[in-house]
Amino acid sequence: MRKSVMVWLLAFLLAPAVHAQQDMFKALFLYNFTKNIEWPPAYQQGEFVISVLGNDGISDELSKLMANKKINNQEIKITQLTNLSAAPKAHIVFVSPSKSGSLAAVMSYYKGKPTLIVAQKENGCRDGAGINFVVVDGKIKYEICPRHNQTQGLLVNQKLMSLGIVTE
């Protein structure tokens, strides 16, 4: 009995650390995606905008990771979205798990715009995301859908494709 209480207590105490570590890995993935995707010329000027829909901790990790960095000579701006119209020209929109039910609205709003839609939900790529985070054997990985990214006008480097789980 005493051991089971200790196991539950330990699991309870470690859960936030595991979640924070996953947010850090997702932020690193997002940063590395920027190095392997080419946006059209109109999106290669001004700020490089990464928007997060939902508040799952990844915004803080992105802000820490990308402080004082640039992407293709563009200053990086991290925005927390409460509504989609707050970031009409986003390079990347991450739909957090807590807002995964909003993926269809995000896809509709950014349809035809050169915006990489990244989600973390079951069947995220099937539902329209260009990249979808998945957990495989306890590790964060990503699915990538070339068709969705091409539809958005994004050129994806073959290296990014080869490291992900390609879906259609």
Side-chain angles (χ1 to χ4, degrees):
M1 174 77 163
R2 189 172 189 183
K3 282 185 181 181
S4 64
V5 170
M6 292 299 286
V7 169
W8 279 105
L9 181 60
L10 185 60
F12 179 74
L13 293 173
L14 291 178
V18 169
H19 187 68
Q21 187 178 33
Q22 287 182 349
D23 287 340
M24 181 188 67
F25 282 123
K26 288 184 276 189
L28 283 168
F29 272 117
L30 287 170
Y31 180 65
N32 285 318
F33 295 159
T34 68
K35 298 176 184 179
N36 292 288
I37 294 175
E38 185 178 326
W39 280 264
Y43 272 58
Q44 295 177 16
Q45 304 168 24
E47 294 176 317
F48 191 98
V49 179
I50 300 174
S51 296
V52 177
L53 181 62
N55 191 9
D56 293 352
I58 194 169
S59 294
D60 293 337
E61 290 298 328
L62 284 167
S63 294
K64 284 189 256 178
L65 175 68
M66 298 196 187
N68 303 315
K69 291 185 180 165
K70 291 185 177 186
I71 297 170
N72 299 325
N73 293 320
Q74 293 174 274
E75 299 287 330
I76 302 168
K77 179 180 180 182
I78 309 297
T79 62
Q80 186 72 45
L81 294 179
T82 53
N83 64 60
L84 296 175
S85 62
K89 185 181 176 184
H91 291 76
I92 298 174
V93 173
F94 175 69
V95 182
S96 65
S98 66
K99 293 291 186 178
S100 63
S102 301
L103 183 58
V106 171
M107 297 304 306
S108 177
Y109 185 83
Y110 290 100
K111 184 176 182 174
K113 296 179 183 178
T115 300
L116 174 65
I117 308 298
V118 181
Q120 182 178 353
K121 75 174 282 222
E122 189 173 337
N123 299 314
C125 282
R126 186 198 70 196
D127 293 345
I131 295 179
N132 185 54
F133 288 119
V134 293
V135 178
V136 178
D137 296 328
K139 296 179 183 175
I140 300 243
K141 300 200 181 239
Y142 63 91
E143 300 171 323
I144 186 164
C145 182
R147 181 173 43 89
H148 293 305
N149 292 318
Q150 287 173 339
T151 300
Q152 296 298 106
L154 303 172
L155 297 174
V156 178
N157 182 312
Q158 190 59 40
K159 179 182 175 184
L160 186 63
M161 301 278 286
S162 69
L163 294 174
I165 303 164
V166 179
T167 66
E168 279 303 320

